[in-house]
Amino acid sequence: MPARISAALVAALVLGPIAALAWRGGGLSALGPADLEALWFTLWQAAASAALSCLCAVPVARALARRRFAGRGLLIALMGAPFLLPSVVAVMGLIAVFGRRGLVNAGLGALGLPELSLYGAQGVIVAHVFFNLPLAVRMLLHGWQAVPAERLRLAAALGFGPADIARHIERPMLRMVLPGAFLAIFLVCLTSFAVALILGGGPRATTVELAIYQAFRFDADLGRVAGLALIQVGVSVAALLLAARVTAPPAFGAGLDRSLTLPPPGGWRRLKDAAVVAAAALFLLLPLGAILARGLPGLPALPAPVWQAAGLSLALAAGATALTLALTLPLALAAPRARWAELAGTLPMAASSLVLGAGLFLIARPLVAPTALALPVTLLANALLTLPFALRLLLPEARALAADYGRLADALGMQGLGRLRYLTLPRLARPLGFAAGLSAAFSMGDLGVITLFSDGRRQTLPFALYQLMGAYRMDQAAAAACLLMALTFGLFWACDRIGQNARPD
């Protein structure tokens, strides 16, 4: 029963806004040539961002897979930081490095070379690569680690060199992993909002998400909003279906779970591996260092409204996390026996926060003032959009729990709250903690629905940071970015730590 209630709520909260947009869309008649240009830019920048992320990730993942060095584990963990980093903070860090007065342009100016511009299509793509390169590296690294040790032992026995290993082991693995990685990143870039809001704009660098925001916030053209939102949903659903179709099962066969790494070649390949790892680390970590260097001294002088916005963001993150877990846990427990539970958990991937916000606005508009919806709709959207990630984290452990303890618990008559307290929660503590940390981090850094509904008096911390940047108060913006980054990573660490400590002995 709890799983059915959860599935019904998720379906209503996702399909209801989409249905409202479809009813208001008027057959997409409100769309014009500029909207088609926004669709084209959204598609090609997402494809370019995904292709560059995967292309750059291949040599980095290969180097990390076949090299062992001091600090390797820490470096892999730190390279994942941009995935949790709030978009507005990451964009500010990129501006500090690649912007008009950034470190790169300062170096180019000293050499007498022309400056680089971070704004426009190139800036959107650079930011998306910054966010998604760590994701691509982790996915490809898992692919290398999944190659059975027996294959590597056989390759060594046959005297395979680096070229032979690339041909017979690495390229087949990449053909299995790369399409899924590309489509996952493509889908993320389709619904990116903060990056396009800050670095994009203009007729040639407007995404569908940004066009929805402009039509809603500045033009109040609800027909156009509805049409753009439906296009966004259609493209997202098509990408999801394609991703499910091209995802291939492992084709290397089963191994004996022995740990064995790729043979590390020497010579120039050693230097190349060191160079690509150093370049990737510099690209991903330098913007974070630039923010910390500029923002930390200004933390004590932040104005009171920024601290109030931080408190509001913490409250929203706590509420969204609690709602995410309350919706996800019943679905994860039911999924081993009911396919519909897993399908319900993937529904939110068909919509973005702006699509959900616009649809909920259309539903509630006759009943309540739009500004009164800012906080509850932000909380709902954040909870729904992190639900698929939380479900993916819980599903493997939930299936193992059902297989290992389900029959025994049924035989002992463990049901309801007793089963939840003594069996489910202790056994799922680790993935629950990680899912809670991920949900809290995403919710803390979201700059989506609040931009549609906020009247400026009630601000979340990302929105306050965005306004400081818009007012060119960059020192205060850097300090607010440091605060947001610290709270985001702190929430993730605390939730994950609680889950780790709550595991049964």
Side-chain angles (χ1 to χ4, degrees):
M1 181 61 71
R4 295 182 183 278
I5 294 174
S6 180
L9 285 174
V10 171
L13 291 171
V14 174
L15 299 180
I18 293 176
L21 291 167
W23 174 79
R24 185 65 176 81
L28 308 182
S29 59
L31 301 182
D35 300 314
L36 297 180
E37 290 183 10
L39 175 61
W40 169 244
F41 175 74
T42 300
L43 293 173
W44 82 256
Q45 66 81 22
S49 300
L52 282 174
S53 298
C54 293
L55 184 65
C56 295
V58 170
V60 178
R62 178 189 287 118
L64 291 173
R66 67 188 182 185
R67 302 292 176 187
R68 292 296 180 269
F69 51 87
R72 175 181 175 273
L74 178 62
L75 178 61
I76 292 175
L78 289 175
M79 286 177 66
F83 186 69
L84 293 176
L85 196 66
S87 300
V88 65
V89 175
V91 170
M92 187 173 181
L94 290 172
I95 291 173
V97 176
F98 298 100
R100 182 174 300 174
R101 297 183 181 179
L103 300 176
V104 172
N105 278 327
L108 292 175
L111 296 174
L113 299 174
E115 294 184 350
L116 299 176
S117 174
L118 189 62
Y119 297 94
Q122 64 272 18
V124 172
I125 293 173
V126 167
H128 283 160
V129 173
F130 175 79
F131 279 115
N132 295 298
L133 176 61
L135 176 62
V137 168
R138 295 299 290 267
M139 294 178 74
L140 295 180
L141 187 58
H142 289 162
W144 259 289
Q145 293 170 343
V147 176
E150 289 72 23
R151 288 293 183 102
L152 301 180
R153 291 180 186 275
L154 178 61
L158 294 174
F160 277 14
D164 299 313
I165 290 175
R167 178 182 178 184
H168 296 287
I169 295 179
E170 293 181 331
R171 290 175 191 169
M173 180 275 295
L174 290 174
R175 282 196 293 269
M176 289 187 296
V177 178
L178 273 178
F182 175 89
L183 284 168
I185 296 171
F186 179 81
L187 186 61
V188 171
C189 295
L190 278 180
T191 57
S192 174
F193 171 65
V195 169
L197 178 65
I198 301 173
L199 298 178
R204 295 185 178 181
T206 296
T207 62
V208 173
E209 284 280 281
L210 186 55
I212 292 173
Y213 167 75
Q214 292 169 345
F216 188 99
R217 188 76 176 178
F218 301 116
D219 302 331
D221 188 346
L222 296 182
R224 183 170 170 238
V225 168
L228 288 166
L230 289 177
I231 288 178
Q232 179 80 292
V233 171
V235 172
S236 297
V237 170
L240 280 171
L241 294 175
L242 185 59
R245 189 173 184 84
V246 303
T247 300
F252 283 107
L256 299 177
D257 294 330
R258 295 172 179 171
S259 177
L260 189 67
T261 60
L262 291 169
W268 65 270
R269 290 185 176 86
R270 182 187 299 274
L271 296 177
K272 185 192 75 170
D273 288 348
V276 297
V277 170
L282 194 65
F283 174 63
L284 295 173
L285 300 180
L286 189 58
L288 305 186
I291 293 174
L292 292 174
R294 185 171 185 178
L296 284 177
L299 271 176
L302 279 175
V306 174
W307 293 101
Q308 293 170 0
L312 181 58
S313 289
L314 285 171
L316 286 174
T321 301
L323 182 57
T324 297
L325 296 183
L327 292 172
T328 307
L329 184 57
L331 294 177
L333 295 176
R337 303 181 306 274
R339 177 67 174 168
W340 55 263
E342 185 175 351
L343 293 176
T346 62
L347 276 178
M349 297 186 72
S352 67
S353 60
L354 292 188
V355 169
L356 293 176
L360 290 172
F361 172 84
L362 291 176
I363 293 172
R365 185 188 180 195
L367 307 174
V368 65
T371 54
L373 296 174
L375 299 184
V377 172
T378 298
L379 190 152
L380 278 176
N382 288 337
L384 288 172
L385 293 178
T386 54
L387 190 152
F389 298 97
L391 183 62
R392 289 298 164 190
L393 290 170
L394 289 177
L395 271 179
E397 298 288 345
R399 290 192 173 108
L401 177 67
D404 296 341
Y405 297 97
R407 291 184 179 179
L408 177 61
D410 291 339
L412 294 175
M414 294 183 67
Q415 299 293 334
L417 294 178
R419 184 166 181 161
L420 181 68
R421 178 182 176 183
Y422 295 108
L423 177 62
T424 303
L425 292 182
R427 291 290 165 184
L428 297 184
R430 183 175 181 177
L432 278 172
F434 190 83
L438 197 66
S439 177
F442 284 174
S443 301
M444 190 73 198
D446 179 66
L447 180 67
V449 176
I450 194 69
T451 60
L452 292 181
F453 294 97
S454 177
D455 56 3
R457 292 193 297 269
R458 289 181 295 179
Q459 300 178 342
T460 61
L461 187 52
F463 190 65
L465 171 56
Y466 171 67
Q467 290 197 320
L468 288 172
M469 293 175 65
Y472 296 100
R473 295 158 63 182
M474 300 309 294
D475 288 336
Q476 288 186 343
C482 285
L483 177 60
L484 179 54
M485 187 163 49
L487 292 175
T488 299
F489 289 126
L491 282 174
F492 176 79
W493 177 85
C495 293
D496 188 41
R497 188 73 174 176
I498 291 172
Q500 296 281 356
N501 291 338
R503 292 185 66 191
D505 294 333

